[in-house]
Amino acid sequence: MEANNLKILFFDIGGILLSNGWGHESRRLAAQKFGLDYEEVNALHTFIFNVYEIGSVTLDEYLDTVIFNHPREFTREDFKEFVYQQSVELPTLKWLKEWKKDCGFRIISVNNEGKELNDYRVKKFKLHDFFDAFISSCEVGLRKPDPNIWKLAMGIAQAQPNQCVYFDDRIMFVNAAKNLGIRAYLHTDLESTKKILQQLKEETIMS
């Protein structure tokens, strides 16, 4: 790939910039805190969470299915507050916000997230300071690993696969992007991703 063709950086959010919005660790903590049957919660979550992530049901409808299908001794608002509190900033985000100021790239998210969680995370962690646009599953009705979500992102960015680089913390999604001809990298830690990004920046400056 010609370095001077580089145009767009696509980034996942959960696992790179922020903790996962509602991952299995958070669900296990919720089961402990609220006295839930984790196996039951997880089974119901598996059935409906994909539907929530593409925007077909609301967070309340998801919770009706997974949590409030039984009488509970805690309130819906208390549980939702716990869900939101599971989102925390990772060190990568602070570094990337500084790096972006003179990196020369447009940066777009390609992420799976339900509407309420996505909106909360964008606002809470000022993700507009890093991303130029958001291709979020809840807004576009597509979720990774569907190849059409990357195709949509490239169409919105008006970029070809060889002009794009993608970062994700899940190898399945990295491979899905690679299958479309996108140069994709597995994020494992801040230092290795910093090296890749600095190299991309240098290649572009030298081209």
Side-chain angles (χ1 to χ4, degrees):
M1 182 176 68
E2 294 293 331
N4 58 9
N5 270 342
L6 284 176
K7 186 175 183 180
I8 302 293
L9 300 182
F10 293 129
F11 267 86
D12 182 35
I13 295 177
I16 301 181
L17 310 180
L18 306 175
S19 61
N20 287 314
W22 186 233
H24 64 89
E25 301 96 338
S26 297
R27 297 195 300 278
R28 194 173 290 280
L29 284 173
Q32 294 170 357
K33 177 177 175 62
F34 292 98
L36 305 172
D37 180 336
Y38 173 75
E39 297 303 328
E40 179 192 25
V41 167
N42 217 37
L44 293 170
H45 167 91
T46 300
F47 279 119
I48 196 171
F49 197 62
N50 292 357
V51 182
Y52 173 55
E53 284 194 326
I54 61 170
S56 293
V57 298
T58 65
L59 179 59
D60 279 323
E61 289 169 327
Y62 163 84
L63 292 175
D64 285 341
T65 298
V66 178
I67 305 299
F68 294 99
N69 54 335
H70 302 302
R72 301 297 187 186
E73 296 180 356
F74 50 88
T75 68
R76 181 181 298 264
E77 290 309 310
D78 284 346
F79 193 86
K80 287 167 72 171
E81 180 64 23
F82 177 85
V83 172
Y84 290 130
Q85 287 175 354
Q86 301 313 297
S87 291
V88 297
E89 182 175 330
L90 300 180
T92 315
L93 180 57
K94 182 178 180 181
W95 183 85
L96 280 170
K97 283 182 177 179
E98 286 300 312
W99 181 82
K100 195 224 175 177
K101 291 177 180 178
D102 65 349
C103 73
F105 298 110
R106 293 293 183 186
I107 303 177
I108 298 174
S109 80
V110 180
N111 67 302
N112 291 347
E113 197 73 85
K115 172 71 174 172
E116 293 86 349
L117 279 170
N118 194 65
D119 290 354
Y120 170 81
R121 285 152 70 87
V122 170
K123 183 178 179 180
K124 169 74 174 178
F125 300 101
K126 298 180 172 62
L127 297 186
H128 281 294
D129 293 348
F130 178 58
F131 288 112
D132 297 298
F134 297 86
I135 311 300
S136 301
S137 61
C138 60
E139 301 291 357
V140 301
L142 299 164
R143 68 186 299 279
K144 300 178 292 188
D146 186 336
N148 287 310
I149 194 169
W150 286 282
K151 291 177 182 178
L152 177 65
M154 288 187 286
I156 289 171
Q158 286 296 290
Q160 298 300 311
N162 70 337
Q163 296 176 296
C164 302
V165 177
Y166 177 63
F167 290 86
D168 204 299
D169 65 319
R170 298 189 182 187
I171 191 65
M172 176 173 64
F173 298 157
V174 170
N175 289 337
K178 284 182 177 178
N179 288 339
L180 295 172
I182 297 170
R183 187 171 167 185
Y185 294 95
L186 180 67
H187 171 84
T188 55
D189 57 74
L190 173 58
E191 289 306 314
S192 60
T193 294
K194 280 168 66 172
K195 289 178 182 178
I196 296 166
L197 288 169
Q198 295 286 43
Q199 182 179 358
L200 291 171
K201 183 177 176 182
E202 290 168 11
E203 288 175 1
T204 304
I205 292 171
M206 293 171 62
S207 63

